[in-house]
Amino acid sequence: MFISAYLRTLTRVLPAILILFAATHTHAASIRGTVTDTSGAKVTGATVVLLSNGKVIATAVSTADGSFQILTGDEGRFFLVVSAKSFRQLETPDFYAGRLDSIERTVVLEPEWVRESIVVTANGIPTPQAQTSSATSVLAPLDLALRTDLVSALRLVPGAVSVQEGQLGAQTSLFVRGGNSDANKILVDGVSAGDLGGRFDFGPLSTTAVDSVEVYRGPNSNLYGADADSGVISLTTPHGTTSFPSVLFQGDAGNFHTSRERLEVAGARNRLDYLGAFSWLQTSNALPMDEYHVATSAANVGWQPSGSTQIRATAHYGVDATGIPNAWDFYHVADNATEKDQDLFLSASADNQTTGGFHNTVRYGLTRKREQFSLWKQSGSGQFDAYGDSLGRVVTITGANGYAATGQAVLDYAQNYPYQYQLASNRDQVVYNGDYRFTPHLAALIGFRFENERGLEDVPSYATHEVAGRTNYDYLASVHGDFKGRFFYSLGGSLERYSLFGTQTSSRAGLSYYALRPRKGAFSGTRILFNFGDAVREPGLTDQFGSLYQFLATHNYQSLEQQLNIAPLSAPTVRTYEGGMEQGLFSNRIFFRASYFHNQFGKEIEYVGARLLPNLIPGLSAADQAKLETALGYYYTNDYGLTVNTEAFRAQGIETTLESGIGRSIFLRGGYTYLDDVVQRSFSSDNEALLGGYAPTYKGIPIGAYSPLVGARPFRRPPHAGFFTASYADRKFTAVFTSAFASRSDDSTYLEYADASGGNSLLLPNRNLDYGYAKLDLGGSYQLLPWLGVYIQGENLLSNQHIAPIGYPSLPMNFRTGLRMQWGGSSH
């Protein structure tokens, strides 16, 4: 009896013992996971293929709950290819698996006809776009492939306006949903890349070694700290994937003496992957004294000691120099000036999947930014005003609003030359993020951020050398989840301590509900969206050093501070509400999204012109006015502004996108944004009565020379903007057509007290001063041989001269054509 029972038990457990023994004996790695669609629904019957070195190692089919498992006795680098009916075939990033490693992968399949990416900026953890309510766009490799910079690519993001003050390499600002250009958090591989205070120049930023760009629209200080007021722009670096070194070389040339060379070496072997890249671009542009060149280096090295742990370091270093001819249309004479930048971004991270549901990341980030401006000598037409300031030629300035003015503007003030200044922003940061998945429907994120920031402003011509040091701490927590794959939510908050302006809190909530689940049919999925958030921004270096409050206090004008209600510089704020919907049509062949947003910006920093300041003080004697002008120093000489938290404005609008695919090769996408923004409070307007007749006007029309007046629109933010893209890609041929459109926008010529007689005759009404534009680009590539391809990129095909703000002619139609040579394959 006992022997019989023993034998029965043995026959039951023996197969399991043999399987365990075989797995242990062969040191089998396990790759398992779940296949879902973008809404989180499980996908049954998906084919999962495990590959290594281009060879199929094993296959599996997802079961009724979407799960799959593959065992292999091999050790090395692998990737998965997953396919299912009505979905686009997906190739996962490669990974290392050693013997006895257990690798877990959640595979999210996109609809065959549209594109829905995995995004990180919305929740801090990888999340399918269909499971987050946030407005996030992804610029993929195809969007960037033929571009040299991000200026035009960023115009293909709804709600975003890219403004470049000149031609290739010129200073470029990004306005997101009506916010200021310094209200965006810029990340390079998770490292804060902006200047202290959020300012970031996209002009010299190269696309070399940039794999993709995520653009999050809305405040998100909860996850990213100060400066994430209007949006977050996150750049990622690709890594090597081929089992042997892959070498890529591109070389091209075009009009305006433009040439670009790019070299990239990448690969992976066992636990190590690597990538190194270098590019060089130079051009003369179409204006005198406007030559530009930029060299960019990048590296990405990763090491996986096990399948659950990864250590990675990335670096981007850019060096550029460009001429600054100034606003050519205002002078018809080019300034003899240059600007040089040296920018270094370094990220070092350790990533560990501690358990199946617990994931930790620790990152050290380093940012070193240097900007040097030099005005080498006094330029001009050879004519001077009564003060010895050099004048441009006689010009007629005509705004898009039809108003015009004729005269000569002061180009360079009488002072010692060369005039130079230098700005430096240094940042070291340590970031920890830990996320834990309690159930498939609930996850939590906690985090900590420490920043040590140092800044410098140096103006040798005026013996000015100012330094700043800041230490900031952030603590954050959030939860993300769903109920039955229909209702998705994200709730979070943060406590932030900034040495410059004290303790702040930020919160964020995002909700979405599938009123109609994704399915086949004319109406194939309806989702309702809602978002709320608030955020703060650090004042910039120039804001801090040029504080009007600090200046008045230093020079014993405390009574004026009280009279004008001038307070110490503090943090600008924003609060937003957003509601919208997403609709899939015709079995998700067409995807439509529309949302309404309402942003309230407060305590915004505006600039009081230094030459205007003496006129704001009632009863000031001529001697006292001269004393004040001397105290202002280079601020007065160069008519720079002093900063104060006195502006508030509201920005609301409607944002729409529509996208569709035709077959597997053609993808179409378009968007339109309507923006209604208005200034509610402004120092210039509120104190107009104190100006004593100095307030500039044009035939009785009040003008905001440096900042918009109350009731007007903030500068350089068009009320109507849109884009359309069409791409075709197959094995040999690729073509991409893009177009961006914008209506007229408010602006200023900034020529206050700057005509030949020291007057305001060259100021024009702000309303609709900047021209609207249409920018059309077309590029394509063809693979002649497995290792040789050709490409061409044409930009601004209509030669529109008014893409830049008034005064700055844009680069006319330009093109580049070249060769692409690659040895060693393109992936895996």
Side-chain angles (χ1 to χ4, degrees):
M1 188 73 145
F2 173 78
I3 295 175
S4 176
Y6 174 77
L7 290 174
R8 285 197 300 271
T9 303
L10 186 61
T11 49
R12 290 173 183 168
V13 302
L14 185 59
I17 294 173
L18 291 175
I19 291 174
L20 179 62
F21 175 79
T24 305
H25 181 71
T26 58
H27 303 288
S30 170
I31 295 92
R32 59 185 179 182
T34 305
V35 183
T36 74
D37 65 13
T38 54
S39 71
K42 305 300 189 290
V43 176
T44 303
T47 301
V48 184
V49 181
L50 180 69
L51 294 99
S52 178
N53 295 328
K55 298 179 181 179
V56 175
I57 304 300
T59 61
V61 177
S62 61
T63 60
D65 63 355
S67 64
F68 67 90
Q69 182 173 12
I70 297 175
L71 297 176
T72 176
D74 293 345
E75 177 182 24
R77 304 194 73 85
F78 303 90
F79 66 98
L80 299 173
V81 174
V82 185
S83 56
K85 187 178 180 180
S86 300
F87 293 95
R88 184 180 293 109
Q89 181 174 285
L90 174 71
E91 185 177 293
T92 69
D94 67 318
F95 56 89
Y96 171 80
R99 294 181 175 88
L100 296 182
D101 273 345
S102 179
I103 309 297
E104 294 195 17
R105 288 289 183 272
T106 298
V107 180
V108 181
L109 294 178
E110 299 177 347
E112 183 176 9
W113 304 97
V114 297
R115 297 178 181 176
E116 293 184 322
S117 303
I118 305 294
V119 296
V120 179
T121 52
N123 295 332
I125 55 179
T127 306
Q129 283 178 303
Q131 296 182 32
T132 174
S133 60
S134 303
T136 307
S137 298
V138 178
L139 298 174
L142 188 60
D143 300 311
L144 308 175
L146 300 177
R147 304 281 188 185
T148 62
D149 57 27
L150 295 177
V151 176
S152 293
L154 289 170
R155 294 191 175 104
L156 309 180
V157 175
V161 177
S162 179
V163 178
Q164 188 166 37
E165 292 183 358
Q167 304 186 356
L168 194 61
Q171 181 174 313
T172 303
S173 304
L174 185 69
F175 301 88
V176 176
R177 287 188 168 183
N180 288 330
S181 61
D182 50 7
N184 306 307
K185 190 79 167 185
I186 313 300
L187 304 172
V188 177
D189 295 316
V191 173
S192 297
D195 294 354
L196 274 63
R199 176 179 172 270
F200 190 86
D201 181 6
F202 286 92
L205 184 63
S206 171
T207 56
T208 299
V210 175
D211 184 52
S212 64
V213 181
E214 276 189 38
V215 182
Y216 175 98
R217 303 184 297 285
N220 205 344
S221 282
N222 162 234
L223 285 178
Y224 301 104
D227 306 336
D229 263 24
S230 293
V232 179
I233 295 88
S234 178
L235 288 69
T236 57
T237 306
H239 66 270
T241 58
T242 55
S243 57
F244 36 81
S246 173
V247 180
L248 167 69
F249 174 77
Q250 284 181 292
D252 59 54
N255 58 343
F256 302 114
H257 307 96
T258 303
S259 65
R260 185 181 190 233
E261 295 79 36
R262 174 186 166 207
L263 178 65
E264 183 178 295
V265 179
R269 184 172 180 81
N270 295 327
R271 292 175 169 83
L272 180 72
D273 65 78
Y274 55 89
L275 176 141
F278 175 80
S279 68
W280 169 264
L281 180 144
Q282 58 184 2
T283 181
S284 66
N285 282 317
L287 293 175
M289 309 298 292
D290 198 19
E291 292 84 1
Y292 167 64
H293 64 258
V294 58
T296 303
S297 305
N300 187 345
V301 179
W303 181 61
Q304 289 187 255
S306 69
S308 60
T309 302
Q310 177 177 257
I311 298 172
R312 184 166 299 280
T314 66
H316 284 255
Y317 181 57
V319 179
D320 73 275
T322 183
I324 308 292
N326 213 321
W328 172 265
D329 288 344
F330 294 166
Y331 310 103
H332 285 187
V333 177
D335 249 336
N336 188 350
T338 59
E339 181 178 303
K340 299 179 180 180
D341 300 279
Q342 303 90 42
D343 298 332
L344 172 65
F345 312 117
L346 174 66
S347 169
S349 63
D351 190 277
N352 177 255
Q353 189 71 43
T354 310
T355 67
F358 189 30
H359 172 252
N360 294 275
T361 301
V362 178
R363 185 187 311 277
Y364 165 73
L366 177 147
T367 300
R368 299 290 186 268
K369 304 189 72 176
R370 301 288 184 275
E371 176 185 324
Q372 299 100 25
F373 172 84
S374 300
L375 182 57
W376 298 105
K377 63 180 182 179
Q378 189 175 21
S379 304
S381 62
Q383 295 178 280
F384 300 87
D385 65 9
Y387 303 98
D389 304 326
S390 61
L391 302 175
R393 302 187 189 281
V394 176
V395 298
T396 297
I397 302 172
T398 303
N401 51 20
Y403 293 105
T406 300
Q408 289 179 281
V410 174
L411 177 61
D412 293 331
Y413 294 112
Q415 59 181 334
N416 294 325
Y417 288 91
Y419 168 74
Q420 297 176 305
Y421 73 74
Q422 173 178 296
L423 292 175
S425 290
N426 299 325
R427 181 186 296 108
D428 293 275
Q429 65 176 182
V430 177
V431 179
Y432 164 76
N433 281 330
D435 59 89
Y436 186 79
R437 182 160 292 280
F438 296 94
T439 74
H441 303 284
L442 177 63
L445 173 73
I446 59 172
F448 169 75
R449 179 183 297 104
F450 166 77
E451 291 182 335
N452 179 259
E453 300 178 320
R454 291 89 62 201
L456 162 72
E457 182 181 47
D458 186 42
V459 188
S461 301
Y462 293 93
T464 299
H465 184 87
E466 298 185 272
V467 296
R470 304 174 183 177
T471 302
N472 308 324
Y473 303 85
D474 294 353
Y475 304 88
L476 64 95
S478 60
V479 293
H480 317 281
D482 70 277
F483 293 107
K484 298 182 178 180
R486 193 158 192 157
F487 177 74
F488 295 87
Y489 61 90
S490 177
L491 306 171
S494 63
L495 177 67
E496 305 148 13
R497 173 66 183 176
Y498 298 97
S499 59
L500 184 61
F501 53 82
T503 301
Q504 299 282 336
T505 58
S506 298
S507 58
R508 189 173 62 95
L511 309 172
S512 69
Y513 174 71
Y514 273 100
L516 181 65
R517 291 179 182 272
R519 63 178 184 177
K520 293 183 179 180
F523 293 93
S524 45
T526 304
R527 192 159 68 107
I528 309 300
L529 314 169
F530 171 78
N531 290 294
F532 164 82
D534 54 18
V536 296
R537 178 176 68 81
E538 275 193 299
L541 277 177
T542 53
D543 298 337
Q544 181 179 351
F545 297 144
S547 165
L548 178 58
Y549 175 89
Q550 190 63 40
F551 173 81
L552 295 175
T554 302
H555 295 87
N556 298 316
Y557 289 106
Q558 286 85 355
S559 59
L560 183 61
E561 290 176 350
Q562 297 174 0
Q563 181 181 355
L564 300 180
N565 296 314
I566 304 299
L569 209 60
S570 62
T573 63
V574 63
R575 175 168 293 177
T576 189
Y577 299 91
E578 178 185 5
M581 57 86 66
E582 291 179 349
Q583 179 66 58
L585 300 168
F586 305 109
S587 301
N588 280 324
R589 283 173 168 82
I590 299 176
F591 185 80
F592 174 75
R593 175 174 175 136
S595 62
Y596 163 80
F597 59 87
H598 185 286
N599 297 333
Q600 181 62 53
F601 296 91
K603 297 182 180 179
E604 292 297 317
I605 295 173
E606 61 177 323
Y607 293 82
V608 181
R611 294 201 172 189
L612 177 67
L613 185 60
N615 303 317
L616 288 172
I617 305 177
L620 197 65
S621 67
D624 287 339
Q625 183 168 339
K627 180 181 177 182
L628 177 59
E629 292 172 2
T630 302
L632 285 165
Y634 71 95
Y635 287 102
Y636 189 86
T637 302
N638 294 280
D639 204 12
Y640 291 157
L642 287 96
T643 57
V644 60
N645 292 98
T646 50
E647 187 177 62
F649 62 92
R650 179 262 295 152
Q652 63 179 345
I654 297 174
E655 194 178 273
T656 62
T657 56
L658 182 68
E659 60 184 56
S660 177
I662 302 176
R664 296 180 179 272
S665 301
I666 299 176
F667 180 68
L668 309 172
R669 184 169 178 264
Y672 164 76
T673 301
Y674 169 72
L675 178 65
D676 173 26
D677 52 353
V678 61
V679 176
Q680 299 160 315
R681 187 175 66 248
S682 166
F683 183 91
S684 298
S685 292
D686 293 349
N687 294 280
E688 190 171 352
L690 299 175
L691 296 178
Y694 288 93
T697 61
Y698 181 95
K699 298 180 179 179
I701 301 173
I703 297 173
Y706 291 98
S707 60
L709 303 177
V710 168
R713 298 189 299 233
F715 292 164
R716 300 183 178 181
R717 274 150 272 196
H720 305 278
F723 67 92
F724 173 75
T725 71
S727 62
Y728 175 86
D730 62 17
R731 293 184 62 185
K732 286 193 171 185
F733 178 67
T734 298
V736 180
F737 170 78
T738 63
S739 56
F741 312 89
S743 64
R744 296 178 298 176
S745 57
D746 290 12
D747 207 343
S748 174
T749 63
Y750 296 95
L751 296 174
E752 186 175 44
Y753 306 118
D755 63 16
S757 59
N760 292 322
S761 65
L762 295 178
L763 288 174
L764 294 175
N766 306 120
R767 188 71 169 185
N768 291 331
L769 187 61
D770 285 342
Y771 288 82
Y773 65 82
K775 183 176 187 292
L776 309 184
D777 304 333
L778 179 64
S781 63
Y782 184 75
Q783 200 68 25
L784 297 171
L785 299 169
W787 59 273
L788 178 64
V790 295
Y791 61 91
I792 186 170
Q793 173 73 9
E795 300 205 24
N796 195 11
L797 302 181
L798 300 179
S799 278
N800 192 320
Q801 294 289 281
H802 295 295
I803 299 171
I806 187 169
Y808 297 89
S810 301
L811 189 65
M813 192 278 288
N814 59 96
F815 67 90
R816 296 177 297 108
T817 183
L819 298 175
R820 172 190 171 100
M821 293 175 279
Q822 184 162 7
W823 299 272
S826 58
S827 65
H828 305 297

